[in-house]
Amino acid sequence: MTGALHFRDLTLGYDRHPAVHHLSGEVREGDLLAICGPNGAGKSTLLKGIAGVLTPLSGAIDRIGCAPRDIAYLPQAADIDRSFPMRVVDLVGMGLWRGIGAFGGIGRAGRARIEAAIAAVGLSGFEDRAIGALSGGQMQRMLFARLLLQDAPVILLDEPFTAIDERTTSDLLDLIGRWHGEKRTVVAVLHDFEVVRRHFPRTLLLAREQVAWDATPAALKPENLLRARAMVEAFDQQANECERAA
Amino acid sequence: MQAFYDLVIAPFAEFEFMRRALVGSLALSLGAGPIGVFLLLRRMSLVGDAMAHAILPGAAIGYLVSGLSLGAMTLGGLVAGCVVALLAGVVARNTLLREDASLASFYIISLAAGVTLVSLKGSNIDLLQVLFGSVLALDDQALILLASISTLTLLAVAAIYRPLVLECVDPGFLRSVSRAGAPTHLAFLFLVVVNLVGGFQAMGTLLAVGVLMLPAISARFWCETVGAMIAAACLIAMASCAAGLIVSYHLGLATGPTIILAAGSAYLVSLAFGPYGGLARRFVRPRHLEA
């Protein structure tokens, strides 16, 4: 059911410029890991790499016990066409894709699961609404419902609580806690240190390079945060080729 | 009763060419419904026009090789359209360019190549004129072509429906659960080309593109799900074809444009009164609800 991730001297980036530079480490089975860091620190890039959307510039990601298809990934700005004429229940139902594929029927059991997932995120009554009629927070709840159905061993969340109200955030955090209880591996990019301290046992503090990767209280020590904040965001256009040994 | 018969039934009862036109245009409408809806939803509404130009070199080669033969020119147009669609799709997926830009560049190249090919022969026949048939002169061959195309289209859309919808609404998610995205997109582009090429040769460019897009765009104002939109688009297209044929028969108007004007009227009515985003909703404001 669970999967682990090994980063081996991983460099991810765009146009040869590294956004995540020489990262090594391990996300263990059933970890509940927060990734923190300043803007441009490579947090989203790392998730894209894990999800298999982005190919590493060098180094590798070993996915142990899970293929890229077993990883559920909620991007920062899901590129959902909100004007698309589709009902909430149909979009959530697509979380069953791994089971039903392109042709399989959803069936009575599937429909019950969809209903349960929609209820779990508190969207009961919205089943037949058009997705374009949802507010930002409801949209995020809907995407969490789809994640629930995906039943994936590894779940990646990129700033899932941005622009979400407190109550929804705490509901969704409960869901994440439930996933953790089910021994799923959850990796989330977050900015709210309070939320991280309270709900995430482990934290990776990233500023292009790894600043700290430890139990949350140790990783978020003031000196680490200072070091992370000192990162230079802009790429050096005249940068030389990186000679660091692989 | 007699008046109804004279108005609606008689033209088809009396003239075989009217019956053929009706059957041909209804077949075209059936295939055009789903294709038009997905073109609209993928924001590719203008692709039909671009494709009309893209098929030119293929049709020109067909014409150079075997003269004015429907088969050779259809085949040539089909090949050219598919090559352009394929190149545009591959470029859009693997480079920075989006589909509209890559399609625009390839269809222009294709058009230039087509015009060059036509001028090679030194013929002063306007190939565009040759290319486009007439809805009132459908022979058996053309009818079979249209019927086959709509059958193929309906079956193929049914087969790729789920990934096709997901490709439109959330391509990132589809990519994360399945590799079906790219093949689905290419299959869809192929269907677009097939429908257009068939439509062009049998019925003319205006009719083919018009029947593809206008009913689909009208349907958007009436429906909130893709399935309902497809059904509505097919119905609007069929009604427009029948109405256009009847009106053009009685008033002695050019048939193709009359059909499109009928579809255009449906569009204007939908635009004005459609319950989802129509203009009336902006100006007529009933009292708001309690919750």
Side-chain angles (χ1 to χ4, degrees):
Chain A
M1 188 59 224
T2 62
L5 305 163
H6 283 220
F7 307 133
R8 283 189 288 125
D9 196 33
L10 174 69
T11 297
L12 292 158
Y14 309 93
D15 234 359
R16 297 177 71 205
H17 291 290
V20 174
H21 207 191
H22 295 288
L23 179 69
S24 289
E26 169 184 15
V27 183
R28 284 172 302 213
E29 284 187 19
D31 254 3
L32 179 51
L33 176 74
I35 302 180
C36 299
N39 291 146
K43 308 180 296 293
S44 300
T45 305
L46 180 56
L47 288 198
K48 282 184 203 165
I50 299 172
V53 180
L54 197 65
T55 318
L57 295 179
S58 70
I61 301 172
D62 297 329
R63 299 177 188 83
I64 295 147
C66 59
R69 303 259 171 270
D70 298 328
I71 296 174
Y73 169 46
L74 182 63
Q76 189 172 3
D79 48 357
I80 287 190
D81 177 0
R82 297 185 58 166
S83 68
F84 196 89
M86 192 175 203
R87 295 177 307 161
V88 169
V89 62
D90 293 326
L91 192 118
V92 172
M94 286 303 97
L96 294 172
W97 184 287
R98 278 207 313 163
I100 60 177
F103 304 110
I106 287 177
R108 192 174 300 164
R111 263 189 289 278
R113 286 184 59 199
I114 294 172
E115 215 166 283
I118 290 178
V121 298
L123 277 184
S124 296
F126 285 84
E127 286 88 347
D128 291 330
R129 297 271 186 99
I131 54 172
L134 298 186
S135 75
Q138 291 164 344
M139 191 83 180
Q140 199 70 350
R141 284 163 178 264
M142 174 178 77
L143 294 177
F144 264 78
R146 187 172 71 183
L147 281 176
L148 270 176
L149 286 182
Q150 278 185 266
D151 196 20
V154 178
I155 298 166
L156 311 176
L157 307 168
D158 198 347
E159 299 195 21
F161 308 133
T162 310
I164 304 295
D165 69 17
E166 223 168 295
R167 197 181 99 193
T168 308
T169 302
S170 99
D171 288 353
L172 298 180
L173 277 167
D174 287 347
L175 270 182
I176 292 176
R178 206 172 102 195
W179 285 331
H180 185 51
E182 291 165 351
K183 298 274 177 267
R184 295 177 208 270
T185 308
V186 180
V187 180
V189 170
L190 291 166
H191 279 299
D192 186 338
F193 290 140
E194 273 317 297
V195 168
V196 174
R197 288 202 174 93
R198 205 163 326 135
H199 299 272
F200 287 76
R202 294 183 64 77
T203 297
L204 163 62
L205 188 58
L206 197 64
R208 196 165 309 150
E209 320 252 343
Q210 170 186 327
V211 176
W213 188 343
D214 210 335
T216 298
L220 293 184
K221 278 188 300 198
E223 60 260 40
N224 286 340
L225 295 178
L226 263 176
R227 272 172 59 210
R229 213 171 294 163
M231 182 194 81
V232 179
E233 200 174 322
F235 291 133
D236 181 355
Q237 292 301 337
Q238 266 78 47
N240 294 319
E241 286 183 13
C242 179
E243 303 280 357
R244 209 183 297 180
Chain B
M1 200 59 221
Q2 185 62 32
F4 175 79
Y5 178 87
D6 287 343
L7 202 64
V8 177
I9 310 290
F12 300 110
E14 279 169 34
F15 296 102
E16 198 197 350
F17 72 88
M18 285 293 284
R19 287 199 293 278
R20 285 173 174 274
L22 185 67
V23 170
S25 55
L26 290 185
L28 184 72
S29 304
L30 264 182
I35 298 298
V37 164
F38 280 108
L39 279 175
L40 169 73
L41 292 177
R42 313 190 73 147
R43 299 166 194 219
M44 292 166 67
S45 298
L46 291 172
V47 162
D49 283 321
M51 278 297 169
H53 297 99
I55 67 169
L56 188 67
I61 291 173
Y63 172 69
L64 291 180
V65 170
S66 56
L68 282 178
S69 130
L70 178 72
M73 286 170 54
T74 304
L75 193 68
L78 207 58
V79 171
C82 287
V83 167
V84 167
L86 195 70
L87 285 175
V90 168
V91 166
R93 271 166 191 276
N94 295 300
T95 72
L96 170 88
L97 287 184
R98 285 174 188 268
E99 186 109 34
D100 60 334
S102 60
L103 191 63
S105 28
F106 281 117
Y107 99 74
I108 296 277
I109 295 172
S110 186
L111 180 61
V115 173
T116 313
L117 278 173
V118 174
S119 69
L120 259 187
K121 178 112 174 186
S123 150
N124 55 6
I125 303 176
D126 182 356
L127 194 65
L128 281 169
Q129 289 297 322
V130 175
L131 269 176
F132 304 131
S134 159
V135 64
L136 293 183
L138 295 178
D139 55 11
D140 287 352
Q141 220 186 349
L143 276 185
I144 291 171
L145 180 70
L146 285 170
S148 316
I149 286 173
S150 66
T151 308
L152 171 78
T153 304
L154 291 179
L155 290 177
V157 167
I160 63 175
Y161 188 75
R162 189 174 283 164
L164 190 57
V165 167
L166 210 45
E167 254 273 301
C168 301
V169 67
D170 192 353
F173 177 75
L174 179 65
R175 229 175 298 131
S176 77
V177 292
S178 156
R179 280 182 223 280
T184 299
H185 184 63
L186 291 178
F188 174 69
L189 286 177
F190 173 72
L191 290 178
V192 173
V193 172
V194 168
N195 270 276
L196 283 173
V197 172
F200 289 156
Q201 311 240 336
M203 315 182 86
T205 174
L206 183 64
L207 198 53
V209 178
V211 169
L212 201 59
M213 292 321 302
L214 278 172
I217 296 171
S218 310
R220 185 67 187 89
F221 289 106
W222 300 100
C223 309
E224 241 185 345
T225 63
V226 184
M229 263 181 85
I230 290 176
C234 287
L235 286 177
I236 294 172
M238 292 170 126
S240 306
C241 287
L245 279 170
I246 292 167
V247 169
S248 71
Y249 173 85
H250 288 297
L251 301 183
L253 302 173
T255 313
T258 312
I259 290 179
I260 297 312
L261 286 178
S265 316
Y267 166 66
L268 291 178
V269 169
S270 311
L271 190 66
F273 302 110
Y276 298 106
L279 283 174
R281 280 296 160 106
R282 294 192 69 137
F283 297 115
V284 184
R285 296 190 177 179
R287 282 183 73 95
H288 66 163
L289 305 174
E290 258 187 350

